Amino acid sequence: MLKETLLLAKNIRTDGYDGSLEAYRRAGGYTALEKVMKSMTPDQVIEVVKASGLRGRGGAGFPTGMKWGFIPKDRKPTYMVCNADEAEPGTFKDHFLINNDPHLFLEGMILGSYAIGCNHGYIYIRGRSVRPAQRINEAIEYLYKAGLLGKNILGSGFSLDLTVHRGAGAYICGEETALLESLEGKRGQPRVKPPFPATHGYNACPTSVNNVETLACVPFIVKEGAEAFKKIGTPNNYGTRLVGISGHAAKPGIYEVAMGVSMKQIINDLGGGVRGGKKLKAVIPGGSSSNVLRPEEIDIPFDFDSVAKAGSMLGTAALMLFDEDTDIVELAYRTILFYNHESCGQCTPCREGTFWLRNLVRDFRENLGDSQKLERIGRVSQQMFGTSLCALNDAAAGPIKAFVTKYPEEFKKHFI
Amino acid sequence: MPGFSSAVMKEVEGIFQRYPRKEHALLPLIHLVLRENKGCVPEEWDQVLADMVGVSLNHVRGVITFYDMLQREPRGKHHIRVCTSIPCGLCGGDKVLERMEDALGIHAGQTTPDGMISLEEVQCIAACDKAPLIQVDDHFAQQVDPDRVEEVVAAMRRK
Amino acid sequence: MPTFYLDDKPVEFQEGQTILQAAMAAGTEIPHYCYHDALSVVATCRQCLVDITDLGNGKGLPKLATSCSTQAAAGMKVSSTNQKVRDGQNIINELLLVNHPLDCPICDQSGECDLQNYAFRYGTGHSEMAYEKRTYGWRDVGTFIMLERNRCIHCSRCERFSMEIEGHHDFGHFLRTHELTFDTYKDHQITHKFQGNLADLCPVGAITEREFRFKKRAWKLERTPSVCPGCSTGCNITVDHNDGKVERLKPRENKDVNQWWMCDEGRLTYRKANDKTLRLTEPLARVKGALVPAAWNALLEAVAGKVKDLSASGDQVVAVADLDSTLEELFLLKNLLAGAFGSGQFFAPHAPESAAPAGARFLETLITPDKTPNAQGAKLLGFQSEAGNKGMEKALGKAKVVFVLGAPEASPALLNAARKAELVVQVAAYRSEWFDMADVILPALTWTEKYGTWANKQRRVQALRQAVNGPGEARDPLRILPDLMRALGQEASFAPAPDVLDRLAKGEKKFAGVSWKVVGQQGFTLA
Ligand SMILES: Cc1cc2nc3c(=O)[nH]c(=O)nc-3n(C[C@H](O)[C@H](O)[C@H](O)COP(=O)(O)O)c2cc1C
Ligand code: SF4
Ligand code: SF4
Ligand code: SF4
Ligand code: FES
Ligand code: FES
């Protein structure tokens, strides 16, 4: 029976824990910060994060220490921006942390800010999350009062302000350059890269954008050391993941597992399998942007590299289960509807391609499909892949291609 | 032209302090407009906002029409959001929305004629383990049974 | 210069140049919509995709890259034609047609539309999209332009022009996804003086000039490089014509003069040339107070006879020239005066210049208060202007014979002074206030009908070229002036503008080094 490995959710799983500053400190919180303020240079913080092999939990899995290392040392100001947009369908892990233990990622964010020499950080949170935004703001208020934010933190000479910035309803603002545009008071349209945020980010200054869960890993790494972190997980995939199980699971929710454990076990042992004793038809392993897996494909280690090898993506580790009664056409329709709705519209393939695919899939939903249209969905999703400015286009095209390739029989049921 | 009260203007000054440039404060200011205007940004505000943060009118209009939370028409006293994304949409969210529309006699995107309740169909709101999910004002109602939607609405009406 | 390889051919590039820029400089076309030399790079149309098979370090890129946003690097290997690139170009093209009305038969852009051209060259030429397309309608977005949003391909050039070049951000974009719309704010109508440039930048028929609406099919037009006569900037243009008629003027790129732009007033300057009610089409002589048609030769002889009768010479002969006369014409006029009469009394009235405000945008510096194209040229040739009207009035007061070239701007006092002369001979293309007092009118070609050069505010000598024929019996002043000289007993014969320019360069120190060849299509700035 697979058990959780508690690194990030340890406090949360403790009875009576309320996520307040007091509770967090009682559980050993902010000792990493104290240690760093007393005895570590910014470079040493970057080094230990590099050594830990921590990879970003926002979707792309980029090494965090390396990202921080890219920030030029001779340019000021620099900015740390926490990506708390979390709008990928199926994903709710960051909100799990924000709602239940906000100080964990805040401590990570303060450490990261120190590492890259940032004196004003921003937490970008989606607009509809009113309460979670309040939750963070309250936590920040306590931190100022406790002298853990503001001028001269713990007498170290290091100063930091944090500001919560609310979005207003646009999934694309989770993409880091769109996020920065939005933070600058503009439409959230991804930027052309290069230049990258590390040199030209917020307000054209060096910037590191990091996911909530990524930052939440940092206090542990700083406190316990890189080696302790590397004891968890598999090579190149160290640490844990907060897996959000949803869909037709018997026990939906967030579960923390060491990376590299069996995906099948996560589904069955932690998620309780399919609810109502039904059979499994499909699994989406890493949020709506990842390709669907058939039940026979899920017996793989749950880590970045293994899920990629299986032709999908670990992404946000949002595991969605779909039972035998699920209409894959409906699933595909909800998927393309989402991406069409969320395309910022600036690039041709994404703007027009998601619109066309939405129309095509809708035809199947209305039982107006035919083999030509099925072939066309495959062709268009294949050809538009890889031709756009940001990854949203591919996040739309990839899964649609996977649905028609892996479940043609489901689409055939909707022929005219 | 509309404007903020002097109390709100104090908040605005505080917001400006938090950004290196005034124009970066556009979204926070829009959120204040939402708060003060029944959850909407009337068009008359475009010029006011543009002047406040020092950008063009088209910049403001571009921003307001980009984000789907920003609407021009006032919301009802209570606002219901129904998630029909994946997974909610596949766990009954679509049926919840249908029943909700029937019970309220309006379509998503509309407000009841008495101005009491407005209904919105939304994409994933990051609580998918509670699917199908609805959000009533700032509160979540989880695993909503489509057959019980009418009760929920009746209860709200009574409030 | 460093080199990279485009389709296996070495291409030299400058540090910082993108693949697209280097390719274009080397004469290889890579299709593109959103990229424009004048504007910031957004890389959103995705039409310019190329396959980078080697970044210069032995490693290639797995995905296609946009050539407009990727800098060339030494040793880089790029394909713009392989199958992967073709597939990419095809799908972009096909997707652009998803929501495009394909109303080419009634579109003014047809024939010069990038979408149409690329669809033909880089697309499959068809779209399998069978759903209802976006439909908007015509919008009255400007006093000079119209917007048909159905045809918009969302390249954002219009918005970038209004933000980065014009400065008012009149064009914005609204909504998102397939509803994305480029437009002005609600019913805002653009009124600035540079709207035509928006139509030029728009790669499709979404923004079009009202002036050209449903007028002519673009592919029928012939384009003659020339210079705008509208002001002392002398924007480089093409005169677009068909069947002997000028249909429109379009800016022609010149980095040192107008860059890519011209003003809307300038675009309309051709109207005057086409206006039959204004044109002088036959030689006229005043008989008993009224102007009556006459034959060219007889009239020239009559002028010579009259001049002899008056035995005018020296200061008794005065010339007044319009500042849209070419350098060559002014040179001949000056020679005529000096050679036939020993007179140095040649004038070209000119409103004083005023400088553009400090910190003005480049575009604002284009339109100058001096509405003449050759004031600097006249000045350099010694035509008096700054002396002001007083000197001219005095000179005219003493004159027996006055030669008028063109229709020089003149105050009532000047006209009155000229009226007293015994003989007023005008060589002109248009009717003007001089019409009432001229004794002889010799009809001339206007700027779209002849060759010649003007010197703009920068003392840059730029060439006009004949695009169409003149009306009726109108003749080139380069022919009329020698004919007059001959009638007056001097040796002279017709020479084409390049030859006259050569003589001018030899005879006038300030024009040393100038020739038709060095002027070329981009002009030559005098020392
Ligand atoms: C369309 C799109 C949406 C994204 N949404 C999110 C998001 O909601 N939260 C997030 O952390 N990263 C998101 N990302 C990934 C970010 O661009 C970025 O890689 C990430 O925030 C970096 O943080 P990390 O290195 O800590 O993972 C998104 C990317 C794309 C292309
Ligand atoms: S791929 Fe889509 S979302 Fe991303 S920049 Fe292009 S249009 Fe916008
Ligand atoms: S109107 Fe023309 S220039 Fe403007 S975005 Fe559309 S196609 Fe481009
Ligand atoms: S700026 Fe002057 S030269 Fe240029 S187009 Fe206008 S009128 Fe003609
Ligand atoms: S899908 Fe409904 S909350 Fe995520
Ligand atoms: S020209 Fe390169 S993307 Fe448009």
Side-chain angles (χ1 to χ4, degrees), chain A residues 20-310:
Chain A
S20 64
L21 178 57
E22 217 182 28
Y24 182 68
R25 292 192 102 164
R26 225 183 294 121
Y30 290 110
T31 50
L33 182 64
E34 281 162 15
K35 174 176 168 186
V36 164
M37 292 294 114
K38 248 187 241 129
S39 62
M40 282 174 83
T41 65
D43 280 346
Q44 284 172 323
V45 177
I46 295 181
E47 280 318 309
V48 66
V49 174
K50 263 190 195 160
S52 75
L54 173 63
R55 292 171 68 177
R57 306 314 199 211
F62 192 83
T64 307
M66 208 193 283
K67 192 185 273 189
W68 292 355
F70 287 152
I71 302 289
K73 306 241 179 302
D74 53 349
R75 277 177 56 202
K76 287 277 159 193
T78 59
Y79 291 102
M80 162 67 63
V81 177
C82 172
N83 190 342
D85 194 53
E86 189 159 73
E88 168 108 352
T91 311
F92 50 101
K93 65 188 180 74
D94 296 338
H95 277 67
F96 170 79
L97 290 173
I98 293 166
N99 291 331
N100 299 305
D101 198 12
H103 286 287
L104 184 62
F105 85 94
L106 285 172
E107 183 176 7
M109 184 167 182
I110 301 172
L111 293 168
S113 301
Y114 176 72
I116 65 162
C118 153
N119 301 112
H120 197 141
Y122 295 89
I123 297 153
Y124 187 99
I125 185 161
R126 50 184 314 177
R128 290 196 176 84
S129 293
V130 181
R131 296 238 153 170
Q134 274 167 4
R135 184 95 167 117
I136 304 172
N137 268 323
E138 281 158 20
I140 287 176
E141 230 171 87
Y142 278 102
L143 285 176
Y144 274 107
K145 279 190 202 133
L148 296 170
L149 272 183
K151 294 235 152 34
N152 192 14
I153 295 170
L154 297 173
S156 64
F158 170 63
S159 303
L160 176 67
D161 287 310
L162 290 184
T163 298
V164 175
H165 186 95
R166 291 178 57 208
Y171 162 69
I172 191 58
C173 290
E175 195 280 339
E176 58 184 2
T177 59
L179 183 153
L180 294 172
E181 287 286 291
S182 181
L183 189 56
E184 291 179 2
K186 302 182 198 143
R187 295 162 59 90
Q189 294 177 179
R191 299 175 180 170
V192 199
K193 287 178 269 188
F196 291 92
T199 58
H200 294 79
Y202 178 55
N203 206 24
C205 299
T207 302
S208 175
V209 180
N210 293 97
N211 171 258
V212 171
E213 186 187 349
T214 312
L215 292 173
C217 296
V218 175
F220 177 89
I221 293 169
V222 166
K223 205 160 41 179
E224 310 289 338
E227 285 313 311
F229 189 72
K230 284 172 100 166
K231 284 211 185 84
I232 310 160
T234 53
N236 203 29
N237 299 275
Y238 299 113
T240 59
R241 283 310 299 256
L242 291 173
V243 184
I245 301 185
S246 66
H248 303 137
K251 293 193 288 172
I254 294 283
Y255 300 94
E256 185 171 22
V257 299
M259 263 200 274
V261 301
S262 150
M263 178 157 120
K264 198 166 183 174
Q265 274 188 302
I266 299 175
I267 291 170
N268 291 329
D269 298 356
L270 298 173
V274 181
R275 70 182 180 201
K278 294 240 166 85
K279 278 218 247 19
L280 186 65
K281 185 183 268 180
V283 173
I284 295 176
S288 59
S289 302
S290 61
N291 292 348
V292 67
L293 296 173
R294 291 189 63 108
E296 57 273 22
E297 295 175 300
I298 63 169
D299 204 358
I300 51 171
F302 198 61
D303 59 40
F304 290 110
D305 299 335
S306 308
V307 182
K309 222 170 91 193

Side-chain angles (χ1 to χ4, degrees), chain C residues 194 228-235 262-267 366-368:
Chain C
F194 298 97
C228 172
C231 79
S232 64
T233 295
C235 291
M262 74 185 291
C263 78
D264 295 339
E265 229 174 281
R267 284 172 201 265
L366 280 185
I367 304 179
T368 63

Side-chain angles (χ1 to χ4, degrees), chain C residues 310-476:
Chain C
L310 291 170
S311 66
S313 72
D315 287 0
Q316 292 167 329
V317 183
V318 173
V320 190
D322 194 344
L323 290 168
D324 71 0
S325 313
T326 64
L327 284 172
E328 294 77 8
E329 292 160 9
L330 293 174
F331 177 70
L332 291 184
L333 180 64
K334 187 174 157 182
N335 283 356
L336 183 148
L337 232 64
F341 307 102
S343 165
Q345 296 288 22
F346 38 92
F347 295 89
H350 180 211
E353 295 265 352
S354 62
R361 283 177 177 273
F362 175 77
L363 212 55
E364 292 170 68
T365 67
L366 280 185
I367 304 179
T368 63
D370 178 2
K371 295 298 165 206
T372 67
N374 196 26
Q376 286 302 320
K379 197 165 143 193
L380 290 168
L381 282 171
F383 278 72
Q384 300 172 52
S385 62
E386 266 75 13
N389 290 347
K390 276 278 169 274
M392 200 147 88
E393 210 182 307
K394 234 160 99 192
L396 281 173
K398 284 192 247 163
K400 282 187 182 168
V401 178
V402 177
F403 289 99
V404 181
L405 182 56
E409 210 182 294
S411 63
L414 265 187
L415 288 172
N416 274 335
R419 208 183 292 277
K420 292 186 193 116
E422 305 281 340
L423 175 65
V424 177
V425 179
Q426 193 195 11
V427 178
Y430 306 100
R431 278 166 188 273
S432 68
E433 57 268 45
W434 294 92
F435 193 75
D436 293 337
M437 80 189 58
D439 300 299
V440 171
I441 287 181
L442 303 174
L445 301 179
T446 191
W447 66 281
T448 51
E449 299 154 1
K450 65 188 182 185
Y451 291 89
T453 57
W454 286 327
N456 79 350
K457 62 185 181 190
Q458 305 154 287
R459 299 176 166 208
R460 192 180 182 89
V461 179
Q462 310 194 96
L464 324 172
R465 288 177 180 76
Q466 181 190 1
V468 294
N469 291 327
E473 294 179 57
R475 288 182 181 175
D476 187 347

Side-chain angles (χ1 to χ4, degrees), chain C residues 75-317:
Chain C
M76 196 182 236
K77 294 199 178 83
V78 180
S79 173
S80 72
T81 49
N82 68 18
Q83 195 54 46
K84 192 168 159 193
V85 174
R86 276 218 195 95
D87 287 348
Q89 288 173 338
N90 277 346
I91 188 73
I92 302 297
N93 209 278
E94 182 174 8
L95 288 168
L96 278 173
L97 297 178
V98 163
N99 268 305
H100 196 81
L102 287 171
D103 56 350
C104 308
I106 54 155
C107 178
D108 286 330
Q109 194 82 4
S110 195
E112 52 186 359
C113 172
D114 290 345
L115 184 62
Q116 200 179 42
N117 294 342
Y118 293 157
F120 189 66
R121 270 179 284 169
Y122 305 100
T124 51
H126 74 292
S127 165
E128 292 184 337
M129 163 84 179
Y131 297 93
E132 214 174 299
K133 305 190 178 200
R134 280 186 291 260
T135 45
Y136 306 108
W138 281 98
R139 285 256 301 113
D140 235 346
V141 289
T143 46
F144 200 82
I145 50 171
M146 305 272 294
L147 174 67
E148 162 58 305
R149 289 190 286 155
N150 294 339
R151 296 183 186 144
C152 175
I153 56 161
H154 309 87
C155 72
S156 84
R157 283 184 180 186
C158 50
E159 180 169 20
R160 281 176 286 148
F161 173 83
S162 40
M163 281 172 80
E164 298 164 12
I165 309 292
E166 197 278 328
H168 281 95
H169 201 185
D170 283 309
F171 254 95
H173 65 296
F174 313 112
L175 300 169
R176 69 186 197 198
T177 187
H178 59 274
E179 291 172 334
L180 183 72
T181 308
F182 284 81
D183 202 343
T184 60
Y185 187 89
K186 293 184 77 185
D187 43 14
H188 171 72
Q189 215 192 23
I190 303 178
T191 53
H192 67 63
K193 298 189 169 102
F194 298 97
Q195 299 170 40
N197 299 301
L198 287 159
D200 298 342
L201 283 173
C202 182
V204 292
I207 304 177
T208 48
E209 285 183 53
R210 285 167 188 270
E211 181 71 4
F212 191 63
R213 257 196 121 198
F214 305 133
K215 210 164 134 184
K216 251 284 122 43
R217 310 307 303 180
W219 64 79
K220 292 199 166 156
L221 295 175
E222 216 177 304
R223 290 153 206 242
T224 305
S226 191
V227 179
C228 172
C231 79
S232 64
T233 295
C235 291
N236 289 204
I237 60 170
T238 61
V239 175
D240 296 359
H241 53 96
N242 174 242
D243 263 350
K245 194 167 158 236
V246 177
E247 298 289 355
R248 66 176 187 191
L249 307 179
K250 285 280 178 188
R252 179 164 60 85
E253 184 182 337
N254 187 328
K255 292 244 159 58
D256 299 319
V257 180
N258 53 311
Q259 296 182 358
W260 298 266
W261 326 117
M262 74 185 291
C263 78
D264 295 339
E265 229 174 281
R267 284 172 201 265
L268 299 182
T269 51
Y270 79 96
R271 281 182 176 175
K272 190 175 170 192
N274 280 3
D275 187 346
K276 291 211 173 64
T277 64
L278 280 179
R279 291 304 297 269
L280 298 168
T281 54
E282 52 188 358
L284 301 168
R286 197 168 293 279
V287 177
K288 294 197 191 107
L291 286 169
V292 293
W296 269 105
N297 283 347
L299 196 52
L300 289 171
E301 268 161 36
V303 168
K306 179 88 190 227
V307 167
K308 208 177 264 164
D309 290 351
L310 291 170
S311 66
S313 72
D315 287 0
Q316 292 167 329
V317 183

